[in-house]
């Protein structure tokens, strides 16, 4: 198999009998084993994958419907429960945790639809980071330049899809942990409407912000994955001329000229109106930091007291700082979050679609601590979430789409933002932008496609 193809194409081949799920699974497992120089996969689930593939092939042979994702290989961030495996959440201290007794519901839904789980993937410890640099399991590298970051905290999943090693992978998004690596790896990454996809069986981080989402390489795959994982087909949202605006203010600063130019091209194509400014955006980002640190810190406080040295040093420091947040600061952050969510809701009452950068820059080098954007020095890690973190608070669906880039350029993505429940509008808009030549996944690297 020279190219794993899209989930839609693989499922069509398996359902028709042109390919077997067993062959697809075997080839995928072998290619990951040979070519995962990215440190993206933490475990290959060969025995399970081949058993699941056999069930799909048996259904096809018996003339039964194997499901809409028949034989599609997929991977999951290592904070999803997988039956028979410990859910590490990227933490060494959880490597000996009791094995999960059943799959997380979202994993079970994919498997019931015929998909075949092949691997778990690397992440920032306890999902606290934007870079997938893990002191226990190593750094995940960018598929388009291994000297650069893949982004995080769902970087392992994004890197596998970006490399074309799997067509579908699950991640979680609290402050941008899907949208950031999707942007840096040149693929689609969806943060669905808050609460639309079950988070049971997914190791929690910040319950008021946690969502389950996914990475793919085609718009068609976005829609079918959403239908399976949300348990419902996205409501049709036919709009011939959506009301579109670019987010200004906070979202128009601290961003590389490449991303701003790309947004401008999309805005012109979509006939966008005047820019919209969300006055509380900067404060909302600060609120996101406070709420994330406070809840994360208190969630892990007993473990920190018991054995702080078992934590990744970077995560440990963030969690300790978060646990020390005064109650007054947390309450103020909650008030800011509520105010900002109202501003987003107001903006989406007057617009169908909003546009913003997904990351302020393309992937930083792994040895870089800072980058300079528009004359300002930014953190090469924390500031990757500059434009995703505030929007997480609103609970709305957000799709990171990859800008079409010239050959050899590192990927970068744009956030498409819609009101709650309007994922179909995001998918339709992405399809239109693909047709217009404005959006395209970065081609998978040749080394990853070798037999």
């Amino acid at each position: 198999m020279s190219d794993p193809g899209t989930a839609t194409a693989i499922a069509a081949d398996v359902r028709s009998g042109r390919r077997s799920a067993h062959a697809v699974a075997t080839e995928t497992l072998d290619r990951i084993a040979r070519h995962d120089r990215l440190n993206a996969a933490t475990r290959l689930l060969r025995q399970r994958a081949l058993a699941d593939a056999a069930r799909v092939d048996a259904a096809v042979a018996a003339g039964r419907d194997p499901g809409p994702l028949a034989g599609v290989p997929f991977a999951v961030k290592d904070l999803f429960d997988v039956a028979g495996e410990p859910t590490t959440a990227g933490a060494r201290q959880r490597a000996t945790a009791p094995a999960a007794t059943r799959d997380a519901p979202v994993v079970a839904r994919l498997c019931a639809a015929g998909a075949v789980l092949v691997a778990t993937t690397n992440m920032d410890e306890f999902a606290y980071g934007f870079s997938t640099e893990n002191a226990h399991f190593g750094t995940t590298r960018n598929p388009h330049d291994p000297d650069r970051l893949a982004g995080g905290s769902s970087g392992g999943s994004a890197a596998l899809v970006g490399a074309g090693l799997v067509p579908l992978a699950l991640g979680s998004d609290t402050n941008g942990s899907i949208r950031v690596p999707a942007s840096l790896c040149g693929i689609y990454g969806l943060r669905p409407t808050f609460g639309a996809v079950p988070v049971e069986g997914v190791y929690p981080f910040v319950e008021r912000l946690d969502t389950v989402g996914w990475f793919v390489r085609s718009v068609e795959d976005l829609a079918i994955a959403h239908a399976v994982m949300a348990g419902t087909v996205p409501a049709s949202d036919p709009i011939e001329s959506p009301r579109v605006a670019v987010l200004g203010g906070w979202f128009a600063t601290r961003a590389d000229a490449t991303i701003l130019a790309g947004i401008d091209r999309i805005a012109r194509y979509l006939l966008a109106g005047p820019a919209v400014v969300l006055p509380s955006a900067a404060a909302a980002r600060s609120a996101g930091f406070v709420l994330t640190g406070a809840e994360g810190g208190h969630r892990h406080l007993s473990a920190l007291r018991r054995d702080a040295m078992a934590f990744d040093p970077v995560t440990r420091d963030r969690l300790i700082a978060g646990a020390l947040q005064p109650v007054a600061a947390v309450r103020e952050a909650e008030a800011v979050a509520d105010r900002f969510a109202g501003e987003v809701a107001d903006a989406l009452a007057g617009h169908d679609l909003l546009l913003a950068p997904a990351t302020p820059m393309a992937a930083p080098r792994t040895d870089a601590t800072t980058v300079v954007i528009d004359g300002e020095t930014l953190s090469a890690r924390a500031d990757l979430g500059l434009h995703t973190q505030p929007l997480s608070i609103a609970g709305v669906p957000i799709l990171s789409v990859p800008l079409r880039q010239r050959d050899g350029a590192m990927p970068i993505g744009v956030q498409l933002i819609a009101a709650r429940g309007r994922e179909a509008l995001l998918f339709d808009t992405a399809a239109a932008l693909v047709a217009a030549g404005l959006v395209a996944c970065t081609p998978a690297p040749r080394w990853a496609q070798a037999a």
Side-chain angles (χ1 to χ4, degrees), residues 275-338:
V276 169
V277 174
L278 305 175
S280 300
R285 195 204 177 205
S286 297
F289 272 122
V290 172
L291 295 173
T292 297
E295 184 170 335
H298 283 280
R299 182 178 303 283
H300 296 282
L301 190 55
S302 61
L304 286 164
R305 286 170 170 160
R306 185 172 58 251
D307 186 5
M309 299 308 291
F311 286 78
D312 182 319
V314 174
T315 307
R316 179 183 63 232
D317 292 349
R318 292 169 181 160
L319 291 173
I320 291 173
L324 294 174
Q325 293 282 356
V327 172
V330 176
R331 288 177 176 167
E332 183 180 355
E334 290 173 341
V336 170
D338 290 344

Side-chain angles (χ1 to χ4, degrees), residues 92-180:
R92 182 186 63 192
Q93 60 192 281
R94 290 191 54 81
T96 57
T101 57
R102 59 182 179 178
D103 292 340
V106 70
V107 175
R109 288 181 181 183
L110 283 168
C111 293
V116 174
L117 179 59
V118 297
T120 59
T121 63
N122 199 18
M123 57 182 287
D124 290 284
E125 185 181 64
F126 294 121
Y128 207 165
F130 286 122
S131 60
T132 310
E133 294 171 291
N134 189 302
H136 315 305
F137 300 106
T139 296
T140 293
R141 306 284 177 154
N142 193 292
H144 308 294
D145 182 348
D147 290 330
R148 296 179 183 271
L149 297 173
S153 63
S154 307
S157 290
L160 284 183
V161 175
L165 293 171
V166 294
L168 168 66
L170 296 188
S172 65
D173 189 307
T174 301
N175 291 300
S177 287
I178 287 173
R179 291 161 287 159
V180 166

Side-chain angles (χ1 to χ4, degrees), residues 47-65:
Q47 184 175 354
R48 170 178 173 147
L50 296 181
D52 288 349
R55 283 192 286 272
V56 172
D57 288 336
V60 173
R64 300 192 306 271
D65 183 359

Side-chain angles (χ1 to χ4, degrees), residues 164-441:
L165 293 171
V166 294
L168 168 66
L170 296 188
S172 65
D173 189 307
T174 301
N175 291 300
S177 287
I178 287 173
R179 291 161 287 159
V180 166
S183 175
L184 302 191
C185 293
I187 54 178
Y188 299 97
L190 177 70
R191 175 190 170 95
T193 300
F194 182 79
V197 178
V199 295
E200 291 82 7
V202 182
Y203 197 91
F205 182 21
V206 183
E207 290 184 4
R208 68 174 288 159
L209 299 174
D210 289 350
T211 56
V212 169
W214 46 95
F215 302 95
V216 294
R217 296 186 62 86
S218 81
V219 176
E220 294 83 2
D221 289 355
L222 282 169
I224 193 170
H226 187 278
V228 169
M229 284 186 269
T232 180
V233 176
S236 178
D237 207 348
I239 300 178
E240 290 188 6
S241 301
R243 300 164 299 168
V244 179
V246 175
L247 288 180
W250 175 264
F251 299 95
T253 61
R254 303 175 184 86
D256 187 85
T258 300
I259 183 66
L260 295 178
I263 290 175
D264 185 57
R265 291 193 297 273
I266 290 174
R268 289 199 305 271
Y269 175 78
L270 295 175
L271 304 178
V276 169
V277 174
L278 305 175
S280 300
R285 195 204 177 205
S286 297
F289 272 122
V290 172
L291 295 173
T292 297
E295 184 170 335
H298 283 280
R299 182 178 303 283
H300 296 282
L301 190 55
S302 61
L304 286 164
R305 286 170 170 160
R306 185 172 58 251
D307 186 5
M309 299 308 291
F311 286 78
D312 182 319
V314 174
T315 307
R316 179 183 63 232
D317 292 349
R318 292 169 181 160
L319 291 173
I320 291 173
L324 294 174
Q325 293 282 356
V327 172
V330 176
R331 288 177 176 167
E332 183 180 355
E334 290 173 341
V336 170
D338 290 344
R339 183 171 72 245
F340 180 74
E343 292 173 5
V344 174
D346 289 344
L348 288 169
H351 300 85
D352 300 301
L353 198 68
L354 303 173
L355 309 176
T359 50
M361 76 289 274
R365 291 181 57 86
T366 56
D367 58 359
T369 57
T370 61
V371 295
V372 177
I373 302 294
D374 197 23
E376 185 170 357
T377 301
L378 304 179
S379 166
R381 285 152 180 79
D383 285 339
L384 286 170
L386 267 174
H387 304 120
T388 58
Q389 190 164 20
L391 294 169
S392 298
I393 288 170
V396 298
I398 309 172
L399 175 63
S400 178
V401 299
L403 283 176
R404 179 181 287 277
Q405 298 279 67
R406 69 183 186 278
D407 289 347
M410 289 298 293
I412 197 164
V414 175
Q415 293 183 93
L416 308 182
I417 306 140
R420 289 174 181 255
R422 299 193 73 181
E423 279 86 352
L425 175 62
L426 298 179
F427 304 157
D428 290 345
T429 302
L433 295 176
V434 171
L438 297 171
V439 162
C441 287

